[in-house]
Amino acid sequence: MVVMTRRSDALSRERIIEASIEILDKEGEGGLTVRAVTAHLATGRGAIYHHVAGKDDLLEEAADGVMSRVAGDDLRALALGVFDAIDAHPWVGAQLNREPLQPAVLRIWKGFGTHLHARGLTGRALTDAGSALVSYVLGAAAQHAAGARRAPDATARRAYLDRVAGEWAEAGPGPLGAEVAAAIREHDDRAQFLAGLDIFLRGAVPPE
Amino acid sequence: MVVMTRRSDALSRERIIEASIEILDKEGEGGLTVRAVTAHLATGRGAIYHHVAGKDDLLEEAADGVMSRVAGDDLRALALGVFDAIDAHPWVGAQLNREPLQPAVLRIWKGFGTHLHARGLTGRALTDAGSALVSYVLGAAAQHAAGARRAPDATARRAYLDRVAGEWAEAGPGPLGAEVAAAIREHDDRAQFLAGLDIFLRGAVPPE
DNA sequence: ACCTGAACACCGTTCAAGT
DNA sequence: ACCTGAACACCGTTCAAGT
């Protein structure tokens, strides 16, 4: 008698999402197609629709998969963790800004909310600060991710920054253009992100 | 003798962008297809490629077209102008977060940079504050636009907020979940945006 | 120079047919 | 129940042919 066992590599929501993250990391956002995912899993085109609702669902779950591995003992560490995760997976930066209710965004909201609450914020002050912090972090993430996508290595990055600096310099003959142009050439996204975070924390919560 | 004159409605970059904005406002981002634009202009599919580089170019120029009409005498007025423009044209919210160097983003950067400079910020303090402010405004814009897209009228908006509040309430049994859930139900995106702007300004610049 | 529209090389999703 | 893969209804972009 032949006993039919499940293939050990049977499809599942988890395996589909895992494969999607691999493809997104290797090929970028444009590389994630249903054809690529099903080819990677060696199955038929329509197979994944038994496990995920569609491509949007796939992207939301993939982004949450990345964000679920971010932790931080305090607020700055958590924010840096989010930044570094997006630096490592640039496609997440765009995805987080597509839908405010997706699991990954709620996860970030909860993390920041908890830390702000621990710092003594309650009521309106808490939700105002949480909302602003989430907006700042997601906005900075999208900006950084878009830049990282366009300038993946140091040489491309230099050319990219020079181009922005040039546009700034020509934009205003006044002192503003020159100042910003110079700053852009010395620019470091991660340090800039932290500087913005500190501005925000200074305005939102009293020093501990 | 027959003198051939140019059709008065000859194609031009301006007319193509204008048509694109109309389609985006009426049909949303998904409605902007090359087929829709060329049908609207009663011309052949390939005609627009003589005037714009492609669909990305079209979206960047359309967003800049909207942002070019925003003005503000002071920083808060400018920020509110950006918010209101995105409220009126939700597709701009997503577009601004796609590419940090696009004309509309540089335009916003210059506006904020000028106002921050006028408030006495220079050097690193200026670029840190400008960068953080742009990130906050673009992030908040994306969040608001995504919500507005999903909940266009008051009834849909209520259902939407109730759903978020519900997710929050069930998320944490502690005081945080209940507080945030209650705040969300009373939530007003525009007021929230202003509250976040004030947090930011408190941290970035001394009161005038 | 500009426009036309068929052709090309893709998409995401559905669904009858299989196991 | 789950999987297969052809079919469907779309895309953006190119390009030979027209004017």
Side-chain angles (χ1 to χ4, degrees):
Chain A
M1 185 177 74
V2 177
V3 180
M4 296 296 287
T5 54
R6 271 212 174 296
R7 290 188 300 170
S8 67
D9 62 340
L11 275 187
S12 69
R13 199 173 162 85
E14 289 69 30
R15 287 193 64 237
I16 293 168
I17 291 160
E18 186 192 325
S20 300
I21 293 178
E22 277 177 38
I23 292 168
L24 285 159
D25 284 344
K26 204 183 305 177
E27 313 286 344
E29 201 153 355
L32 186 76
T33 64
V34 174
R35 279 157 178 81
V37 174
T38 51
H40 192 281
L41 293 166
T43 185
R45 215 106 75 202
I48 62 168
Y49 290 92
H50 290 279
H51 300 93
V52 296
K55 206 190 166 179
D56 288 353
D57 186 23
L58 212 52
L59 271 163
E60 290 195 1
E61 287 302 319
D64 194 47
V66 169
M67 280 303 144
S68 69
R69 297 196 280 270
V70 172
D73 285 336
D74 64 16
L75 211 156
R76 284 179 109 242
L78 177 62
L80 265 185
V82 172
F83 183 88
D84 289 338
I86 284 157
D87 186 58
H89 311 273
W91 53 272
V92 177
Q95 173 55 30
L96 294 180
N97 282 282
R98 259 197 276 278
E99 170 60 55
L101 279 190
Q102 66 184 303
V105 173
L106 289 175
R107 187 188 291 276
I108 292 170
W109 237 113
K110 276 165 202 164
F112 285 139
T114 305
H115 284 305
L116 290 169
H117 192 67
R119 286 189 176 216
L121 293 184
T122 57
R124 181 58 144 287
L126 171 61
T127 50
D128 282 352
S131 170
L133 182 53
V134 169
S135 289
Y136 168 66
V137 170
L138 297 194
Q143 307 268 103
H144 173 64
R149 226 182 301 126
R150 230 150 269 272
D153 57 48
T155 314
R157 174 128 197 97
R158 170 113 320 267
Y160 179 88
L161 292 179
D162 281 351
R163 200 180 121 218
V164 200
E167 287 200 43
W168 262 100
E170 91 183 26
L176 178 62
E179 258 185 64
V180 176
I184 284 167
R185 268 185 250 267
E186 309 299 312
H187 179 260
D188 170 338
D189 266 10
R190 198 168 187 270
Q192 188 93 269
F193 174 76
L194 273 179
L197 185 66
D198 288 336
I199 287 175
F200 169 82
L201 291 175
R202 209 155 42 230
V205 296
E208 293 181 69
Chain B
M1 186 176 74
V2 178
V3 179
M4 296 297 287
T5 55
R6 271 210 176 298
R7 289 189 299 170
S8 65
D9 63 343
L11 275 187
S12 69
R13 199 173 162 85
E14 288 68 32
R15 286 193 64 238
I16 292 167
I17 291 159
E18 186 191 326
S20 299
I21 293 177
E22 277 176 39
I23 292 168
L24 284 160
D25 284 344
K26 204 183 304 179
E27 314 286 344
E29 201 153 351
L32 187 76
T33 64
V34 174
R35 281 156 176 83
V37 174
T38 51
H40 193 280
L41 293 165
T43 186
R45 215 104 77 201
I48 62 168
Y49 290 92
H50 291 279
H51 300 93
V52 295
K55 205 189 166 178
D56 287 354
D57 186 24
L58 211 52
L59 270 163
E60 289 194 1
E61 286 301 320
D64 194 48
V66 169
M67 280 302 145
S68 70
R69 297 196 280 270
V70 171
D73 286 336
D74 64 18
L75 210 155
R76 287 180 107 242
L78 176 61
L80 265 184
V82 172
F83 183 89
D84 289 338
I86 283 156
D87 186 58
H89 311 273
W91 52 273
V92 177
Q95 174 54 30
L96 295 179
N97 282 282
R98 260 197 275 277
E99 169 61 57
L101 280 189
Q102 66 183 304
V105 172
L106 289 175
R107 187 188 292 277
I108 291 170
W109 238 112
K110 276 165 202 162
F112 285 140
T114 305
H115 284 305
L116 290 170
H117 192 68
R119 287 187 175 216
L121 292 184
T122 57
R124 180 62 144 285
L126 172 61
T127 51
D128 282 351
S131 170
L133 182 53
V134 169
S135 289
Y136 168 67
V137 170
L138 297 194
Q143 308 267 103
H144 173 65
R149 226 182 301 125
R150 230 151 270 273
D153 58 47
T155 314
R157 175 128 196 95
R158 171 112 321 265
Y160 179 87
L161 291 180
D162 281 351
R163 199 179 121 220
V164 200
E167 287 201 44
W168 262 101
E170 94 184 26
L176 179 62
E179 258 186 62
V180 175
I184 283 167
R185 269 186 249 267
E186 308 300 311
H187 178 261
D188 171 338
D189 266 10
R190 199 169 187 269
Q192 187 93 272
F193 174 76
L194 274 178
L197 186 65
D198 288 337
I199 288 175
F200 168 83
L201 290 175
R202 208 148 51 224
V205 298
E208 292 181 69

